């Protein structure tokens, strides 16, 4: 049963279930604009950046989309090019000459303000851009509402910005609106009962396990409503090369290694509690699970929109050796992804397919009631990984010194602590967003420090230990001689 990507040719675009959810919680959460901070490694002018971003608005119709109510469901209406778009772009692009980009605290505070900027979705032009000039390393904060784009879309937009700044044409990106059912639907209609039953079994087993555990979290005091979101930049001091070496030594991916370290950091908060558990929500890119990629983008499926699922990694026992820890996390991640491949995630997502039919008001009301009752699921954090984003730099860039991004800090608002794992030029960053009214900044700084210590210890025990073991026979032979 195929639900292929649909290339949109008219001026209205339907929303998938995830996008309806973002439309409903936008006001409740304050804003769901994703502000990606870019620090360039070469001078670029205000005029250059303005021109490139204006090209994006022309090239990608979804950036000109306005959220519009239908008889019952919401949809997006693509606004036509013209003076109206010019007016809105003049408001969306801002220049800041008062930011000390060389002061990390000032840079972080500037980013924090952008994280809270409210964008009126009903009026259109789905972006906000803040440019700060600098003689060597200017900065740009480029933000698009989560309703319009997920992380993969955002990274692609950053790549296009760099193409434009390096004198290359902006590449076409089709306007698509695939149903998210395509990523979970069985291949044959008669497989639905079996796949739904298996999916339900997974959820019941997971709920039973979680019911008896003590979920480790950052210090949290739940409130009746949301206020502001905390934001903290963080660069891991351990080189990525050492972390990747440790991952190879243990036979896992770098992402699995990092999730294992996050789990270990949470578990060490309660080393003597046998019921302590690190519960980490992992994002998964659903594009590869669509039955057929679109004709215009066969390599990766639809680029625009939200095509993200999730599953839980549940870890226990702070005393596990690293080899056992990473094997356990690796198995959990592979099983979570395999359930999507086997079409055994139907139960949860079929219920969520009701979201558009419930309506924006009712969905928002349910979210508000869950918040006030403290009924949102307890997790340690929601870890999302963009991986190595070095591909944002165009290979065909010309000129004596191509413009590159020296620092990329991607973030979005979140009701749970959200560490983002991103690698660029051999450096690992783990910026985090969290509810500032529930957890103090000092607790997040402490978590980052403990995560750094965990990663350093991991490398020392795995890579250093392997080196010592390899050197032992040589030392024995030298002693015998």
């Amino acid at each position: 049963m195929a639900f292929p990507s649909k290339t949109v040719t008219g001026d209205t675009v339907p929303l998938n279930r995830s996008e309806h959810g973002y439309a409903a919680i936008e006001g409740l959460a304050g804003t769901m604009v994703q502000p990606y901070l870019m620090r360039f490694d070469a001078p670029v002018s205000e005029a250059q950046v303005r021109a490139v971003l204006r090209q994006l608005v022309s090239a990608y119709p979804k950036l000109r989309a306005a959220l519009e109510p239908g008889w019952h469901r919401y949809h997006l209406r693509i606004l036509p090019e013209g003076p109206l778009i010019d007016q809105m772009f003049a408001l969306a692009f801002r220049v800041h000459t008062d930011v000390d980009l060389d002061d990390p605290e000032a840079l972080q505070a500037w980013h924090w303000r952008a994280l809270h900027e409210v964008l009126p979705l009903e009026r259109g032009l789905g972006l906000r851009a803040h440019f700060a000039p600098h003689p060597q390393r200017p900065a740009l904060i480029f933000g698009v509402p989560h309703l319009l784009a997920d992380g993969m879309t955002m990274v692609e937009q950053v790549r296009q910005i760099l193409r434009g700044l390096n004198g290359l044409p902006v590449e076409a990106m089709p306007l698509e609106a695939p149903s998210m059912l395509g990523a979970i639907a069985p291949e044959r209609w008669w497989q639905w009962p079996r796949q739904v039953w298996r999916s339900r079994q997974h959820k019941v087993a997971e709920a039973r396990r979680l019911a008896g555990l003590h979920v480790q979290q950052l210090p949290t005091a739940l409130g009746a409503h949301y206020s502001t979101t905390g934001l903290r930049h963080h660069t891991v001091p351990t080189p990525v090369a050492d972390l990747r070496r440790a991952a190879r030594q243990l036979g896992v991916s770098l992402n699995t290694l990092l999730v294992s370290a996050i789990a270990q950091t949470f578990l060490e908060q309660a080393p003597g509690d046998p019921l302590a558990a690190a519960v980490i929500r992992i994002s998964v890119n659903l594009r590869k699970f669509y039955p057929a990629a679109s004709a215009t983008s066969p390599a990766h499926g639809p680029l625009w929109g939200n095509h993200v699922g999730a599953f839980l990694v549940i870890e226990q026992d702070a005393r596990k050796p690293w080899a056992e820890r990473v094997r356990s996390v690796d198995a959990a991640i592979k099983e979570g992804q395999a359930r999507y491949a086997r079409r055994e995630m139907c139960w949860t997502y079929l219920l969520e397919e009701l979201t558009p039919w419930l309506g924006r008001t009712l969905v928002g009301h349910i979210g508000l009631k869950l918040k006030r009752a403290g009924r949102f699921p307890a997790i340690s954090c929601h870890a999302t990984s963009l991986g190595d984003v070095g591909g944002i730099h165009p290979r065909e860039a010309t000129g004596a010194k191509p413009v590159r991004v020296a620092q990329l800090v991607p973030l979005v608002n979140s009701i749970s602590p959200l560490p983002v794992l991103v690698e660029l030029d051999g450096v690992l960053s783990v910026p985090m967003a969290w509810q500032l009214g529930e957890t103090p900044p000092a607790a997040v700084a402490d978590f980052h420090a403990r995560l750094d210590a965990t990663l350093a210890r991991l490398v020392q025990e795995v890579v250093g230990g392997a080196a010592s073991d390899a050197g032992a026979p040589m030392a024995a032979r030298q002693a015998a001689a």
Side-chain angles (χ1 to χ4, degrees):
M1 183 176 291
F3 294 85
S5 301
K6 176 184 177 183
T7 300
V8 179
T9 56
D11 59 353
T12 62
V13 182
L15 303 179
N16 64 33
R17 64 167 186 269
S18 176
E19 292 157 358
H20 271 281
Y22 282 120
I25 68 170
E26 179 76 20
L28 177 64
T31 177
M32 292 299 292
V33 173
Q34 305 165 92
Y36 276 39
L37 169 65
M38 291 166 265
R39 191 82 190 270
F40 301 109
D41 71 346
V44 292
S45 69
E46 171 192 335
Q48 284 178 283
V49 177
R50 186 188 298 271
V52 169
L53 294 183
R54 188 62 183 86
Q55 287 178 41
L56 286 182
V57 173
S58 296
Y60 302 125
K62 211 165 187 180
L63 288 177
R64 305 194 306 274
L67 186 66
E68 183 178 79
W71 287 108
H72 180 64
R73 300 174 54 158
Y74 274 77
H75 57 260
L76 295 175
R77 180 168 296 278
I78 308 301
L79 303 178
E81 274 282 6
L84 178 66
I85 300 301
D86 291 334
Q87 292 171 12
M88 289 192 287
F89 183 80
L91 178 65
F93 184 85
R94 303 174 188 176
V95 179
H96 303 256
T97 58
D98 58 345
V99 181
D100 184 358
L101 297 180
D102 296 325
D103 179 353
E105 291 188 3
L107 185 67
Q108 182 174 285
W110 182 50
H111 196 186
W112 178 80
R113 289 192 296 272
L115 181 66
H116 291 87
E117 185 173 18
V118 177
L119 190 158
L121 297 172
E122 288 82 0
R123 295 185 63 183
L125 203 60
L127 72 90
R128 286 294 182 268
H130 302 268
F131 177 70
H134 188 275
Q136 287 84 36
R137 300 175 67 222
L140 171 68
I141 298 176
F142 174 75
V144 176
H146 214 326
L147 186 149
L148 301 178
D150 58 17
M152 181 172 176
T153 311
M154 289 298 296
V155 171
E156 177 64 19
Q157 291 292 280
V158 171
R159 190 175 78 86
Q160 296 301 326
I161 290 170
L162 284 167
R163 284 182 60 85
L165 292 176
N166 281 286
L168 299 169
V170 172
E171 297 171 323
M173 189 186 297
L175 183 60
E176 297 169 306
S179 166
M180 294 185 78
L181 276 173
I184 64 166
E187 295 181 359
R188 302 288 184 268
W189 66 266
W190 47 264
Q191 295 174 331
W192 273 103
R194 180 187 63 188
Q195 301 306 81
V196 170
W197 173 248
R198 288 179 177 175
S199 175
R200 172 65 176 162
Q201 285 181 312
H202 293 319
K203 294 301 295 182
V204 169
E206 183 178 86
R208 285 175 178 168
R209 182 181 179 189
L210 288 171
L213 298 178
H214 300 158
V215 179
Q216 297 303 300
Q217 298 178 297
L218 299 178
T220 302
L222 294 178
H225 63 277
Y226 297 114
S227 58
T228 58
T229 299
L231 177 154
R232 189 173 193 273
H233 296 176
H234 182 68
T235 300
V236 174
T238 302
V240 169
D242 291 344
L243 294 171
R244 189 166 277 115
R245 192 176 300 115
R248 284 197 300 267
Q249 187 74 26
L250 292 167
V252 297
S253 68
L254 176 60
N255 187 64
T256 293
L257 187 84
L258 298 176
V259 173
S260 302
I262 291 173
Q264 183 68 25
T265 303
F266 275 109
L267 287 169
E268 288 177 357
Q269 295 179 175
D273 184 357
L275 296 179
V279 180
I280 303 172
R281 192 170 189 254
I282 303 293
S283 295
V284 57
N285 185 356
L286 296 182
R287 288 168 175 84
K288 61 183 178 181
F289 299 109
Y290 283 93
S294 69
T296 49
S297 53
H300 42 59
L303 278 169
W304 269 108
N306 279 273
H307 311 282
V308 180
F311 58 85
L312 297 181
V313 169
I314 305 171
E315 276 295 299
Q316 293 179 256
D317 190 0
R319 298 167 297 178
K320 275 186 182 180
W322 279 115
E324 187 178 346
R325 172 75 67 213
V326 298
R327 281 198 300 268
S328 177
V329 171
D330 190 48
I333 291 176
K334 287 179 178 177
E335 172 61 17
Q337 294 174 336
R339 287 177 186 175
Y340 282 98
R342 297 195 305 260
R343 308 295 176 174
E344 293 178 4
M345 296 296 284
C346 309
W347 178 259
T348 300
Y349 293 125
L350 281 177
L351 294 177
E352 292 183 3
E353 285 293 330
L354 296 175
T355 300
W357 301 105
L358 294 176
R360 189 180 182 186
T361 301
L362 182 55
V363 172
H365 177 70
I366 292 171
L368 182 61
K369 288 294 186 181
L370 289 173
K371 170 60 179 171
R372 288 180 176 171
R375 295 287 301 277
F376 281 115
I379 62 174
S380 303
C381 69
H382 179 179
T384 184
S385 175
L386 295 181
D388 185 352
V389 295
I392 60 175
H393 297 126
R395 295 180 181 179
E396 61 270 47
T398 59
K401 182 173 174 49
V403 177
R404 293 171 55 89
V405 167
Q407 180 184 11
L408 178 67
V409 187
L411 270 179
V412 67
N413 205 330
S414 177
I415 63 173
S416 302
L418 178 77
V420 182
L421 309 174
V422 57
E423 175 191 350
L424 180 63
D425 293 337
V427 176
L428 174 68
S429 297
V430 189
M432 186 180 290
W434 75 96
Q435 286 301 305
L436 194 55
E438 298 177 354
T439 300
V444 177
D446 175 68
F447 175 79
H448 273 141
R450 290 187 290 116
L451 177 61
D452 287 345
T454 301
L455 290 169
R457 187 175 73 248
L458 187 161
V459 169
Q460 177 58 37
E461 292 178 7
V462 174
V463 178
S468 298
D469 291 342
M474 176 62 72
R477 288 195 298 271
Q478 290 175 341

